[in-house]
Amino acid sequence: MKKCMAMLLVILFVILFADVAYTAPDMPAVEEHAGDTGKQQNPISLGMELIAENQFLAMYFNPETTEVAIKDKSSGYIWYTNPPDREQDAIATGVNKGKLSSQISITYYTPTAQRQQMDNFNDSIVHNQFEVLKINNGVKITYTIGKVQKLLLVPQAISAERFEQILDKVAKESDKSVLERRYRLISLEEINDPGEKQDLLNKYPMLQEHDIYELRPNLNDLVMQQLDEIFRATGYTIDDLNRDHVENNVPPREADKDVFIVPLEYKLDGKNLVVSIDTKEVIYDPSYPLTQIRVLEFFGAGNKEENGYMLVPDGSGALINMNNGKSASRPYIGYLYGQDRAIKQEEIFERSEQVYLPVFGIKKGSNALFGIIEEGSAFASIIADVSGRINSYNTVCVEFTTLANDTIDLTAMAGNNVVMAYQPRMYEGTFKIRYSFLSGDDADYVGMAKSYRKYLIERGQLKKIKNEDGIPFYLELVGAIDKIKPVVGVPVRGIVPLTTYEQAIEIANKIIAAGISNIKLKYTGWFNGGIRHSLPSDIHLQSQLGGKKGFKKLINFVYHNGLELYPDVSFEYVYKDKIFDGFSVRSDAVRFLDREVALIYDFDPATNIYDNTKEPYYIVDPRSISPIISSFLHEYDELNIKGVSLRTMGSDLNSNFYEKRFVDREQAKAAMVEQMARFNEKGISIMANGINDYALPYTSHILNMPMDSSGYNIEDESIPFYQIVVHGYVAYAGEPINLASDYNRAILKTAETAAGIYFTWIYSKNSLVKDSDYNYLYSVNYEAWLSKALELYQRMNAAFADVQDKAIVDHEKLGEDVYKVTFEGGKSVIVNYSKAPVSIDGITIEAGSYKILEGGNK
């Protein structure tokens, strides 16, 4: 339960018995401002009052509907939390029509595991169940969502003597008649059936001492209201009601449990609007778990006549055009930071890119709204939809998961029975979204990316990189794998070397000989049993790869030749649990919501279900990672390596639902940040895969950065939003080019984003990987790729070496499948993904090719 139920009862008591109509607090005088008129509706004409203002923004507030409007003074444009023309919506009906006036919607479950939804208009404002508080630079509204039933002063049972006393106080004969008709006299003397008499005594033991008047059943609301008025007119009070019920064994009326108290705060902060919900003030009954809160679903919504798009952070980024006619497709739902693997998932229904950045936006004409989830991002999802489904509006917003939940099938234990399981408590922090307002040339996805980049720079999360000698050549070498092999006819899992330490030197020497010096060597499967290594609290170098002596030789070679070495390590998962390795499944492994130990399998991409033919592995409790890293660093220091590849720390975020050691996702995020900072403090540079926003300050190199969106049906365009944000500040590359499903497209994506070159190789033949758990390494023999990789690098390096430390300042779509990217300084590249040549300003770009344009200062 989120809060003591006493608090809820106090608040409900005030609502029930105050009998005071809502009165808006004193508001500052309203002042007209230039730009309020025109095509947009004036907020003052909509019943709004100026409630907060600074030199950049003005906030208007409607005390009756609690909707807010923000005026951007630089452009005069006004952003409404709810569509001002919503009454003309011809699609929305019923609850959906009312929901257009909401600022919050919630999802909760009943005790019988039924999923229910309410919103603050249909279930709070309509019932006048909210309070407004003027705060510094803004306003705070506390909503009671869920109709609170008025307590009627109508006794369920009352002694005959007291009932007759009340009748004597009733002034009108007609009212006396109403009471006499709506109550029936129960007297044991008039009941002959022994069974009926005993049932009545069980229900009303006081019948042995006096007769009782009982309220007749199934009276409608109008009759009950009439009875309440009659009783109140006689001076009947709540104390009288309690006395009569206690005397006659009537159980006390329970408070409404499907009632939720949620505060929403708006505050101007310079050029931004900050919207927040303090979860410590959220109150609900634990028998009705509150699982999601959706915030400002219709803020900036575009109607059916407006032009623009919604930005969603799907993979590299995607645009959903307003009114694109795709209302038959599913709405976009992007779960920030990917799957929490401590929540069971039996199968996946579609392959999708992860959502790494906590941002979203909406462009309408020459104005744009851009949102950053500033707190509580680990629980956030981005929701976007187009007009025509249940209303006429195009929307993008944030939904926060307040309680992670899952179904538990008890069929094996108790027949056909499914129950819900919830995390032990809600996140104890704030859900906070920061909105900025863009106009003119900045009102597009490039402007949004620049705004986010500036935000990260100002907070010290991004810093300019130094231009090195050429673009990065990212080379991942796979050392050893484990594989089942027949030994004297018996299948035994053993170590198979794919690239020894000496062979790694040989491959690197061939690259150096080609004149390439900026080599970032990622070495996977270098210790503790290969790729799926045992707990890294100790470092055991593989004898099959050359042992300690061979690895020392590799280290000396790397630093003597100016390479950077990034041995790959996984701290979040235990692939091999060995005796005396310091890992205890009981105390160090994560638990699912059903409290079972989280033993997980990888998904089979062919079937989209768990592949239980492969070895399962454990998720490490986020709080247990710190001592593991301490032990690892103790031995790592002795190797004098200045880089590390963190396989999943920058991308995976897992809870621990074991109640005794519960860790929510925000706590897990804080733990990951703390550990990455430790490596940096040791002077160790980090290479990581994908990486969520919180890992940016600690990461020098990003591999497997998404170069596309998921391509959902509702999406219209994939954009390199992520790359625009970080280029020139963090070095990156996409997937290994030799493992890409479309080799040429991978090269074009590399060119479009001026990324580094990335290959994954082994020294041995590809056949050694066959029939193992590593079938994804299907085309990795270095000899087959070396000459092609060297030629590609030379070509890319000649084109992009001088812009590695330059930010991307523009990205344009010039035509279907044709894009132009411009860097600081004016250099640009036009990329043609189409199957035909195109001519741009007299320059021909061949099909499936790109062209570099040298430009002046920009």
Side-chain angles (χ1 to χ4, degrees):
M1 176 172 176
K2 184 70 187 73
K3 288 290 180 186
C4 176
M5 280 304 298
M7 292 180 64
L8 179 58
L9 294 174
V10 168
I11 294 173
L12 295 180
F13 184 88
V14 170
I15 294 171
L16 287 169
F17 300 112
D19 284 333
V20 177
Y22 163 75
T23 303
D26 293 335
M27 301 290 183
V30 177
E31 180 183 349
E32 291 278 2
H33 293 271
D36 284 343
T37 58
K39 291 184 178 180
Q40 285 192 292
Q41 286 186 262
N42 188 327
I44 297 173
S45 69
L46 298 173
M48 293 185 169
E49 303 174 351
L50 184 67
I51 196 170
E53 185 175 19
N54 62 25
Q55 67 185 102
F56 307 106
L57 304 172
M59 181 191 298
Y60 295 88
F61 177 71
N62 189 321
E64 295 183 0
T65 64
T66 73
E67 60 191 300
V68 166
I70 303 296
K71 178 182 174 183
D72 179 3
K73 291 184 178 182
S74 65
S75 66
Y77 194 81
I78 301 168
W79 294 91
Y80 291 91
T81 57
N82 302 88
D85 60 349
R86 58 189 179 275
E87 292 303 322
Q88 284 73 54
D89 186 353
I91 298 177
T93 59
V95 171
N96 288 324
K97 186 80 168 184
K99 192 177 180 183
L100 291 172
S101 298
S102 71
Q103 294 82 44
I104 291 175
S105 59
I106 65 171
T107 300
Y108 66 96
Y109 284 84
T110 68
T112 55
Q114 293 178 311
R115 189 173 184 268
Q116 302 289 330
Q117 292 182 316
M118 291 195 288
D119 65 76
N120 74 302
F121 179 79
N122 290 298
D123 304 287
S124 176
I125 294 171
V126 166
H127 307 304
N128 202 27
Q129 298 176 172
F130 63 94
E131 295 179 357
V132 174
L133 176 66
K134 175 70 173 68
I135 60 175
N136 186 35
N137 294 322
V139 63
K140 177 180 178 180
I141 311 102
T142 301
Y143 300 101
T144 299
I145 302 175
K147 186 176 181 181
V148 180
Q149 300 295 330
K150 181 181 178 182
L151 182 60
L152 300 174
L153 299 185
V154 180
Q156 179 70 30
I158 184 172
S159 69
E161 181 181 2
R162 280 182 50 74
F163 185 76
E164 290 160 4
Q165 290 172 354
I166 289 171
L167 282 176
D168 290 341
K169 296 178 182 179
V170 177
K172 297 180 181 179
E173 289 299 322
S174 59
D175 288 343
K176 287 185 179 181
S177 176
V178 169
L179 287 181
E180 290 170 341
R181 290 200 315 273
R182 302 306 181 189
Y183 282 85
R184 69 164 183 143
L185 177 64
I186 302 176
S187 175
L188 290 181
E189 295 180 358
E190 299 179 2
I191 298 174
N192 298 320
D193 186 336
E196 182 182 357
K197 183 178 291 187
Q198 186 57 51
D199 287 344
L200 286 169
L201 277 171
N202 292 339
K203 186 175 182 181
Y204 301 120
M206 291 302 292
L207 279 172
Q208 290 183 331
E209 300 183 19
H210 58 243
D211 295 344
I212 288 176
Y213 276 90
E214 180 185 54
L215 185 68
R216 295 186 183 277
N218 303 321
L219 300 179
N220 63 41
D221 292 344
L222 186 62
V223 171
M224 292 296 292
Q225 185 64 41
Q226 183 183 25
L227 292 173
D228 176 75
E229 292 172 358
I230 294 171
F231 274 102
R232 287 178 185 270
T234 67
Y236 194 77
T237 67
I238 188 172
D239 290 336
D240 294 323
L241 180 72
N242 291 335
R243 170 188 166 188
D244 289 327
H245 281 173
V246 170
E247 180 183 23
N248 296 290
N249 198 39
V250 176
R253 177 181 177 273
E254 285 192 355
D256 299 288
K257 292 186 176 182
D258 53 345
V259 173
F260 306 84
I261 296 174
V262 182
L264 182 64
E265 181 177 296
Y266 301 87
K267 201 167 188 177
L268 300 183
D269 183 14
K271 295 181 179 181
N272 303 149
L273 169 69
V274 177
V275 178
S276 61
I277 294 174
D278 186 346
T279 67
K280 294 187 290 297
E281 297 179 19
V282 174
I283 302 173
Y284 62 93
D285 188 285
S287 61
Y288 287 81
L290 175 63
T291 56
Q292 278 96 21
I293 301 176
R294 188 172 296 189
V295 182
L296 299 187
E297 181 172 357
F298 302 98
F299 194 14
N303 63 31
K304 295 179 74 173
E305 281 70 50
E306 290 181 289
N307 295 316
Y309 51 73
M310 286 79 71
L311 163 74
V312 293
D314 176 23
S316 64
L319 303 179
I320 301 172
N321 292 333
M322 289 186 182
N323 309 308
N324 64 10
K326 298 180 180 180
S327 58
S329 300
R330 289 193 302 107
Y332 172 79
I333 303 177
Y335 301 100
L336 209 58
Y337 309 147
Q339 177 197 358
D340 184 340
R341 304 193 76 181
I343 298 177
K344 285 183 180 178
Q345 190 176 11
E346 299 299 331
E347 60 182 326
I348 53 177
F349 300 100
E350 57 191 351
R351 306 297 291 185
S352 61
E353 295 287 349
Q354 184 160 313
V355 178
Y356 295 98
L357 304 179
V359 298
F360 61 96
I362 188 165
K363 172 181 169 61
K364 296 167 63 177
S366 59
N367 293 277
L369 176 74
F370 180 59
I372 301 171
I373 306 168
E374 202 165 63
E375 295 183 33
S377 57
F379 305 107
S381 300
I382 308 298
I383 315 290
D385 204 358
V386 295
S387 63
R389 191 186 310 277
I390 58 175
N391 58 57
S392 300
Y393 296 96
N394 305 273
T395 61
V396 61
C397 68
V398 182
E399 183 172 82
F400 294 99
T401 295
T402 49
L403 289 174
N405 57 91
D406 196 9
T407 56
I408 299 177
D409 190 348
L410 302 179
T411 302
M413 295 180 288
N416 188 15
N417 191 15
V418 175
V419 299
M420 295 293 296
Y422 306 91
Q423 70 180 47
R425 57 156 174 78
M426 189 187 289
Y427 158 61
E428 297 173 334
T430 301
F431 297 136
K432 183 183 291 185
I433 308 168
R434 179 176 294 271
Y435 295 91
S436 58
F437 308 94
L438 310 174
S439 60
D441 293 340
D442 292 328
D444 59 14
Y445 63 84
V446 175
M448 296 178 196
K450 290 178 179 177
S451 177
Y452 187 46
R453 181 201 300 154
K454 181 180 178 183
Y455 172 90
L456 295 173
I457 292 170
E458 289 175 347
R459 285 156 179 77
Q461 295 178 290
L462 282 182
K463 294 181 180 179
K464 271 275 192 178
I465 60 176
K466 295 179 180 179
N467 204 358
E468 298 182 293
D469 184 16
I471 67 173
F473 187 106
Y474 293 109
L475 175 61
E476 178 182 15
L477 295 178
V478 180
I481 61 172
D482 57 303
K483 181 179 177 180
I484 295 178
K485 302 181 296 182
V487 177
V488 196
V490 179
V492 176
R493 186 171 290 275
I495 300 298
V496 177
L498 301 179
T499 309
T500 66
Y501 307 138
E502 186 68 39
Q503 291 165 346
I505 294 173
E506 182 182 338
I507 294 172
N509 258 325
K510 290 182 179 181
I511 298 172
I512 294 171
I516 299 173
S517 58
N518 192 14
I519 302 172
K520 317 296 182 184
L521 177 58
K522 174 183 176 181
Y523 203 167
T524 302
W526 59 283
F527 80 127
N528 287 26
I531 294 180
R532 293 164 66 95
H533 57 72
S534 59
L535 193 76
S537 53
D538 295 308
I539 297 175
H540 300 287
L541 296 168
Q542 296 297 138
S543 59
Q544 299 91 336
L545 298 180
K548 188 174 182 178
K549 183 178 179 180
F551 194 68
K552 284 282 190 179
K553 184 178 179 181
L554 172 62
I555 294 171
N556 291 334
F557 168 82
V558 163
Y559 293 121
H560 178 74
N561 288 276
L563 281 66
E564 294 179 17
L565 178 62
Y566 294 88
D568 184 67
V569 189
S570 173
F571 292 102
E572 293 74 47
Y573 304 99
V574 171
Y575 301 100
K576 298 180 176 72
D577 182 26
K578 295 186 175 182
I579 300 175
F580 306 125
D581 65 356
F583 177 79
S584 166
V585 172
R586 181 181 179 86
S587 60
D588 296 320
V590 157
R591 304 289 181 99
F592 290 131
L593 278 162
D594 61 6
R595 309 304 186 259
E596 290 182 0
V597 171
L599 188 62
I600 59 176
Y601 294 84
D602 283 328
F603 279 104
D604 183 340
T607 62
N608 282 347
I609 60 174
Y610 280 123
D611 186 353
N612 56 15
T613 65
K614 296 181 179 179
E615 291 288 301
Y617 48 97
Y618 298 102
I619 307 173
V620 181
D621 184 330
R623 289 176 302 185
S624 297
I625 291 176
S626 180
I628 296 172
I629 288 180
S630 294
S631 181
F632 174 83
L633 284 173
H634 178 71
E635 297 191 25
Y636 205 63
D637 284 345
E638 296 179 3
L639 295 173
N640 194 29
I641 303 174
K642 298 304 179 183
V644 68
S645 167
L646 300 179
R647 187 181 305 174
T648 56
M649 189 172 287
S651 59
D652 289 19
L653 204 56
N654 303 313
S655 305
N656 184 0
F657 294 113
Y658 189 33
E659 193 163 354
K660 293 180 180 179
R661 297 189 301 276
F662 174 59
V663 178
D664 66 37
R665 277 196 115 191
E666 277 292 326
Q667 291 173 316
K669 181 174 78 172
M672 299 304 103
V673 166
E674 180 183 354
Q675 299 313 313
M676 285 185 284
R678 290 178 65 188
F679 283 99
N680 284 178
E681 289 164 4
K682 287 273 191 179
I684 298 174
S685 176
I686 292 175
M687 176 183 286
N689 289 313
I691 84 162
N692 301 319
D693 68 297
Y694 55 81
L696 284 171
Y698 311 98
T699 306
S700 299
H701 302 279
I702 306 172
L703 297 185
N704 292 296
M705 174 181 265
M707 291 290 178
D708 265 312
S709 65
S710 302
Y712 294 127
N713 289 337
I714 198 170
E715 297 174 347
D716 294 289
E717 196 81 43
S718 176
I719 58 171
F721 181 88
Y722 197 158
Q723 287 81 0
I724 296 171
V725 172
V726 305
H727 192 277
Y729 294 85
V730 183
Y732 58 78
E735 65 183 327
I737 290 176
N738 58 306
L739 294 177
S741 58
D742 187 331
Y743 172 77
N744 195 55
R745 182 176 175 81
I747 294 173
L748 294 180
K749 281 292 179 181
T750 300
E752 184 184 0
T753 59
I757 302 299
Y758 178 26
F759 284 90
T760 296
W761 290 343
I762 63 174
Y763 189 91
S764 303
K765 295 180 180 180
N766 291 323
S767 58
L768 281 182
V769 184
K770 187 179 179 182
D771 298 325
S772 73
D773 290 349
Y774 310 94
N775 288 331
Y776 61 88
L777 299 171
Y778 52 83
S779 179
V780 288
N781 174 259
Y782 90 97
E783 289 182 305
W785 285 98
L786 182 60
S787 60
K788 187 178 289 188
L790 296 178
E791 185 277 327
L792 175 63
Y793 179 86
Q794 300 293 0
R795 178 156 45 97
M796 288 291 187
N797 189 55
F800 300 108
D802 58 341
V803 297
Q804 289 303 296
D805 61 341
K806 302 293 191 295
I808 294 175
V809 297
D810 201 9
H811 182 269
E812 309 168 72
K813 183 175 183 179
L814 303 181
E816 193 62 32
D817 293 327
V818 182
Y819 300 88
K820 180 180 180 181
V821 179
T822 305
F823 302 90
E824 284 179 313
K827 188 171 188 175
S828 60
V829 57
I830 298 177
V831 182
N832 179 13
Y833 289 95
S834 72
K835 296 180 179 179
V838 295
S839 180
I840 306 292
D841 296 331
I843 301 171
T844 299
I845 303 95
E846 297 297 330
S849 184
Y850 63 90
K851 183 80 73 175
I852 302 297
L853 305 178
E854 300 292 344
N857 293 328
K858 186 171 181 178

